[in-house]
């Protein structure tokens, strides 16, 4: 077995790989950028090498620096994790040329599945069912529009390279095709360096079901059953589960056989996922699923498969890359119970799942799992770490296993209710709402479920009087030294022979809340103080109140009047208006590229533009993008 490996990734997947390698007696080398100098994965690994500045193009995508780090530290192999260079066949070639082992499939296999159009033609030849659509090389706009008309609306435009929902647009009418195509091309070019697309029939009640496959270098390939990843927002997975609800033996047999056929067609070695789109309008039928794409790497949601099969997929990756045969035959792999994974992100679900940044001033996960279930938390951050604009804003993955779907889902809901994050907005409340949704609980889920219920799932009620009182109590610091860690802070709640009273003022949104509190000796137990704020946690929701600074209020008064600011750091990609233009509320003004996605900034109200950001501007959070002229 390898004695030392380098992990060419960051965050929770790097920590995850370290954990298995340590159990197997394998030393690990981490790599890190400027932003990750104090990251958890750096602390967990046996060694760490700095590879460049914070932007991924200057660090985690620098194959030369990563290979040099492996050679300098004596690593024998490189594990790519997922994302970054994990599906880059040129990187695989460079690793091999350097005399190192790539822990993953061959460059030829990655190339065969790297472009969706070529992959689908290959799968058709292998006898794997493929979604009706255009997968050709010609990319003329008129030709693509014609193919869309032939296929019949609605259609889906998809980037030929890459995944994660980037470069993807649903189109319902002929008149909308040109604009959707242009947007998909721009996003695909920015994310993958390739603006080629394919056009497919849009399945009206689609479910996203994928099969975990594993091959070795001796010609063997097996499946480890299926995962359902239909709970998605913006074409990106939110909650995954294994096995798929409503799966029949006949359907499972057809899908898993097709998946293994696909893997064998390219002599696949290592962990891979065959993704299928399923028409669930009449339940799960073996004649209603089609190959969508293959991910030639470990998936973010791999823990649910590990939970229901008892297999450590990272260990299998290491053994297969070392040249060993698959540890188990197909007959030895069995399903046990049900598992869910929920992705906790720093994002604002109420604002269209807008990615967020911030410092994790308070971070706490539940210690115990619900009765009858087991819990696993995958994270790459600790309290005090920052969610930066440079990388994916994932905070953690909450993974719960139970004897059946109902118990596992109840365990997930309870686990989410116990997550506490302060310092950045998160999607925990949304995840809890989804986990307790009646349709989701019944297994009636498709990729449009979140979209149909988005308002209900993302609307947060006003904090209860109890939450407000807990915030007031914490802000007053009665018997609470949590704000600054000063042990003398507890004395602020002490008075001799009589209860003490204190006036407290908090802000919640535009509201100003005042109260006169009398300390009764019971400090707040579900609140976290952090600079200028207090956050109260209630059943998955986090209510953050500001603690006003009277000296700053006067300076800030009126400063934001008549302007629109950047909700996050990003690049101004397209400007659709100019100074002097009269615009209407809701009119698109510019496109901001942030977190690898395009976000349209629309006019907040009617008015005349006085200033607007220049195309190509790099902006930070809070930068004024649009300033309106004052009314005469």
């Amino acid at each position: 077995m390898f004695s030392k490996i380098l992990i060419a990734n960051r965050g929770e997947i790097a920590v995850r790989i370290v954990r298995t390698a340590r159990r197997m007696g394998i030393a690990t080398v981490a790599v890190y950028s400027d932003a990750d100098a104090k990251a958890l994965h750096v602390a967990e690994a046996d060694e760490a090498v700095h590879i460049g500045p914070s932007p991924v193009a200057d660090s985690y995508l620098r194959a030369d620096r990563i290979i040099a780090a492996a050679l300098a530290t004596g690593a024998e192999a490189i594990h790519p994790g997922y994302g970054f260079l994990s599906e880059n066949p040129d990187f695989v070639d460079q690793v091999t040329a350097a005399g190192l082992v790539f822990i993953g499939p061959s460059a030829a296999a990655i190339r065969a599945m790297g472009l969706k159009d070529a992959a689908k033609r290959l799968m058709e030849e292998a006898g794997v069912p493929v979604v009706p659509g255009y997968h050709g090389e010609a990319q003329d706009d008129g030709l693509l529009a014609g193919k869309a008309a032939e296929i019949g609306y609605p259609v889906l435009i998809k980037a030929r390279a890459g995944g994660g929902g980037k470069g993807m647009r649903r189109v319902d009418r002929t008149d909308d095709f040109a604009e959707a195509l242009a947007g998909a091309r721009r996003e695909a070019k920015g994310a993958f360096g390739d603006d080629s697309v394919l056009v497919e029939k849009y399945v009206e009640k689609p479910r996203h079901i994928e099969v975990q496959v594993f091959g070795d270098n001796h010609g063997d390939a097996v499946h480890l059953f299926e995962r359902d990843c239909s709970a998605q927002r913006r074409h990106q997975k939110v909650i995954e589960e294994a096995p798929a609800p409503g799966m029949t033996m006949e359907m499972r047999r057809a899908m898993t056989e097709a998946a293994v056929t696909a893997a064998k067609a390219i002599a696949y070695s290592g962990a891979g996922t065959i993704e299928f789109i399923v028409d669930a309008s009449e339940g799960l039928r073996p004649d209603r699923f089609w190959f969508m794409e293959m991910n030639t790497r470990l998936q973010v949601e791999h823990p649910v498969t590990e939970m229901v099969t008892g297999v450590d997929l990272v260990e299998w990756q290491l053994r297969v890359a070392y040249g060993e045969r698959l540890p188990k035959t197909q007959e030895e792999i069995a399903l046990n119970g049900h598992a869910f994974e929920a992705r906790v992100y720093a994002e604002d679900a109420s604002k269209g799942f807008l990615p967020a940044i911030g410092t994790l001033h308070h971070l706490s996960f539940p210690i115990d799992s619900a009765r009858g279930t087991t819990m696993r938390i995958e994270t790459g951050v600790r309290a005090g770490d920052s969610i930066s604009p440079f990388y994916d804003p994932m905070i953690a993955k909450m993974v719960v296993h139970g004897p059946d779907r109902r118990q596992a889902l109840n365990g997930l809901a309870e686990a989410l209710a116990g997550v506490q994050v302060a310092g950045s907005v998160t999607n925990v409340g949304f995840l809890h709402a989804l986990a307790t949704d009646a349709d989701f609980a019944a297994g009636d889920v498709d990729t449009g479920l979140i979209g149909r219920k988005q308002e209900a799932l993302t609307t947060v009620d006003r904090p209860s009087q109890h939450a407000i009182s807990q915030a007031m109590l914490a802000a007053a610091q009665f018997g609470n030294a949590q704000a600054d860690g000063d042990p003398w802070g507890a004395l602020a709640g002490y008075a001799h022979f009589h209860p003490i009273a204190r006036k407290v003022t908090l802000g919640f949104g535009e509201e100003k809340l005042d109260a006169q509190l009398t300390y009764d000796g019971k400090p707040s137990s579900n609140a976290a103080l952090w600079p200028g704020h207090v956050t109260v946690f209630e059943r998955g929701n986090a209510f953050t109140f500001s603690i006003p600074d009277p000296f700053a209020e006067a300076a800030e008064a009126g400063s934001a009047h008549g302007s629109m600011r950047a909700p996050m750091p990003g690049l101004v990609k397209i400007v659709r208006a100019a100074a002097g233009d009269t615009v209407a509320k809701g009119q698109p003004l510019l496109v901001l590229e942030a977190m690898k996605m395009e976000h349209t900034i629309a006019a907040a109200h009617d008015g005349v533009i006085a200033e607007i950001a220049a195309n190509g501007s790099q902006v930070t959070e809070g930068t004024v993008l649009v300033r309106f002229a004052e009314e005469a």
Side-chain angles (χ1 to χ4, degrees), residues 361-391:
H361 291 283
H362 176 80
L363 179 64
S364 175
F365 299 110
I367 299 174
D368 299 319
S369 57
R371 180 172 300 191
T373 66
T374 55
M375 180 176 60
R376 170 175 159 184
I377 298 167
E378 301 277 341
T379 185
V381 295
R382 300 160 293 188
D385 287 352
S386 294
I387 302 297
S388 79
F390 299 106
Y391 315 118

Side-chain angles (χ1 to χ4, degrees), residues 572-597:
V572 177
K573 199 71 176 291
I574 300 172
V575 178
R576 301 187 184 277
D581 287 358
T582 299
V583 298
K585 180 179 180 180
Q587 180 178 331
L589 302 182
L590 52 85
V591 175
L592 183 68
E593 184 181 68
M595 299 291 189
K596 303 179 184 178
M597 301 288 285

Side-chain angles (χ1 to χ4, degrees), residues 84-333:
F84 296 147
L85 295 168
S86 62
E87 294 182 283
N88 186 320
D90 295 335
F91 177 60
V92 179
D93 286 336
Q94 292 173 58
V95 169
T96 304
L100 301 166
V101 175
F102 180 76
I103 302 173
S106 67
I110 295 175
R111 288 191 175 97
M113 290 298 188
L115 297 178
K116 293 184 178 68
D117 52 354
K120 289 182 179 181
R121 290 196 294 270
L122 179 62
M123 291 299 99
E124 283 182 305
E125 293 172 4
V128 177
V130 173
V131 181
Y134 173 72
H135 310 129
E137 292 289 337
Q139 291 289 306
D140 178 74
D141 288 8
L143 171 68
L144 294 175
K147 292 296 182 181
E150 289 178 19
I151 295 166
Y153 288 95
V155 298
L156 197 62
I157 302 172
K158 299 172 68 175
R160 183 174 71 166
K166 300 175 182 68
M168 185 181 293
R169 298 288 191 280
R170 172 180 170 166
V171 190
D172 294 300
R173 305 182 310 147
T174 302
D175 293 346
D176 298 332
F177 187 82
E179 184 176 354
L181 176 61
R185 285 195 189 281
R186 283 194 308 272
E187 202 166 271
K189 183 69 173 179
F192 315 117
D194 182 353
D195 65 358
S196 299
V197 301
L198 48 84
V199 183
E200 294 180 342
K201 179 65 180 174
Y202 182 83
V203 180
E204 291 288 357
K205 189 174 173 60
R207 281 179 63 178
H208 181 148
I209 300 177
E210 59 191 31
V211 176
Q212 176 73 60
V213 293
F214 221 107
D216 62 20
N217 294 307
H218 302 276
D220 293 328
V222 297
H223 70 80
L224 290 96
F225 302 99
E226 80 280 354
R227 298 185 289 257
D228 194 306
C229 305
S230 301
Q232 301 180 5
R233 51 94 173 104
R234 292 190 324 217
H235 304 294
Q236 294 179 321
K237 302 165 187 175
V238 174
I239 294 181
E240 303 97 347
E241 60 182 299
M247 179 61 70
T248 65
M249 292 301 294
E250 183 184 17
M251 178 74 161
R252 176 173 290 139
R253 186 180 305 110
M255 290 190 78
T256 54
E257 286 179 358
V260 173
T261 296
K264 288 184 175 180
I266 57 171
Y268 193 78
S269 176
T273 304
I274 309 296
E275 301 196 359
F276 295 103
I277 191 76
V278 179
D279 180 355
S281 58
E282 298 180 24
L284 297 184
R285 291 174 37 176
D287 62 341
R288 296 288 181 88
F289 74 91
W290 302 279
F291 172 86
M292 192 162 54
E293 62 183 334
M294 181 177 189
N295 288 301
T296 51
R297 54 174 167 78
L298 198 66
Q299 290 278 89
V300 177
E301 59 273 20
H302 76 273
V304 294
T305 293
E306 294 184 324
M307 296 291 260
V308 297
T309 61
V311 169
D312 184 331
L313 293 174
V314 173
E315 178 181 343
W316 278 33
Q317 284 186 300
L318 294 169
R319 293 193 180 284
V320 165
Y322 192 67
E324 296 181 14
R325 289 186 175 275
L326 290 174
K328 289 186 177 183
T329 65
Q330 189 67 71
E331 292 71 27
E332 294 173 319
I333 303 169

